[in-house]
């Protein structure tokens, strides 16, 4: 997340928002944010959201995710909002919506569903 | 792909392989390649594979993908093999397998299914 | 949907709810609703929701979906709520949440993301 | 699977094939097999394939799957080939390809990626 310049802007039980800006090195040939960047930040928002509900002594690891890219990611800045849909002992399921921010307007640019493994920390 | 250091190592109709190396800035806290990096390269391999079969005057755009992260991505180098499963006039479906390379051994670390829109180039 | 006994209980632009009951022939060996049934109804709710926003003279066709099964589907009845996230000229993206209903309580049992093709009706 | 008339036609470690026929009550308004039926059989093929590699005393349960519907399912009969991509202690990942059979010709109509939980049987 440091590489992508993402900032933690909201944390609550089962909820994490990550904000990040469009940077020249993160854009595709057409001037939009690369899908891989959108996916990486959404994946992190979901992982952190899952971690807020993970029992002490456990770690979280994404085992799969699916993302729909709904609209070109051409805003100046973005926020990925990760939310836990169900927290389990072994598996937690999260959804992240990624919004493009252009002044006061928000546009949904992507949505991700993630399955996250909760596992004991190794000694 | 330049940012990630990915290299085109195989191109044929409906087939593209991208090779890339583990680099310190692409690793997670545990020393494995970040899932976002794996996803970004697999997404690109699928997009390029779709493009090899796209009619002249068209462009391709991933509309969604799903990735299963099968094993920790801890090899020194990797190859993402994108293959077209079905090429259509409007939509092309691809699969990419990402392999970790450790000497002569290969281990499957991730597999992705992608839906790609084929659309006329804008003038 | 007739085979599964699903009933249209809500229709609005971009929104369709389908209700259905657990029936002995739809259950798995453990007494829960079969995942295939949950997926079939969620897929239909999303398809119908997409159709409410499709232009005249077009038809809709699901090209892919992904479903997370969040909890055992062991209620007496269920509702699948399909919602359009983005309606496009060629592709519409929907989400369906499937809730189990046990008296006044609702429990989220599954969530689906679907990509739906909007195409001209054949003459 | 009984309801859908599916038959087990191949079983090996990590591999299960299920065959089934198009039946009038399984078709959509356009005469093709319903996506929900295709998904239900592919989900079962993957679940059974995972079970062939599950340790004694465990059961398997699909936690999510994603399916791409590649072509209209208009053959007279079909086979869903479920294969384990990775068998783990807690999670097994499978892929199923569904083929339409028209005489000697086979056409790929759908492909599914599934994540399957392996869990101890309850007493």
């Amino acid at each position: 997340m440091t590489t992508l310049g993402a900032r933690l802007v909201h944390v609550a039980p089962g909820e994490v928002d990550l904000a990040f800006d469009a940077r020249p090195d993160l854009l595709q040939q057409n001037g939009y944010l690369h899908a891989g960047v959108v996916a990486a930040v959404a994946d992190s928002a979901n992982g952190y959201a899952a971690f807020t509900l993970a029992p002490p002594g456990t770690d979280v690891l994404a085992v799969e995710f699916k993302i729909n890219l709904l609209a070109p990611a051409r805003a100046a800045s973005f926020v990925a909002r990760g939310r836990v849909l169900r927290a389990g002992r072994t598996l937690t399921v999260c959804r992240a919506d990624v919004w493009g921010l252009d002044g006061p307007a928000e546009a949904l640019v992507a949505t991700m569903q993630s399955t996250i493994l909760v596992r004991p920390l190794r000694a």
Side-chain angles (χ1 to χ4, degrees), chain A residues 68-72 97-98 108-111:
Chain A
N68 274 85
L69 304 154
L70 300 168
D97 289 330
V98 183
L108 187 62
V109 299
T111 187

Side-chain angles (χ1 to χ4, degrees), chain A residues 17-104:
Chain A
D17 293 357
L18 294 175
F20 59 109
D21 301 322
R23 272 193 342 221
D25 61 318
L26 303 179
L27 304 181
Q28 286 181 295
Q29 68 282 7
N30 50 23
Y32 305 151
L33 203 62
H34 194 282
V37 174
V38 177
V41 182
D43 170 47
S44 293
N46 275 346
Y48 295 155
F51 190 66
T52 64
L53 297 182
T58 62
D59 192 8
V60 297
L61 180 74
V63 294
E64 66 85 31
F65 61 76
K66 181 253 205 285
I67 187 166
N68 274 85
L69 304 154
L70 300 168
R74 58 183 158 203
S77 66
F78 297 88
V79 63
R81 300 196 170 110
R83 297 293 180 269
V84 173
L85 297 180
R86 181 175 183 272
R89 264 174 310 178
T90 307
L91 293 173
T92 287
V93 178
C94 295
R95 174 185 298 153
D97 289 330
V98 183
W99 299 82
L101 310 176
D102 245 340

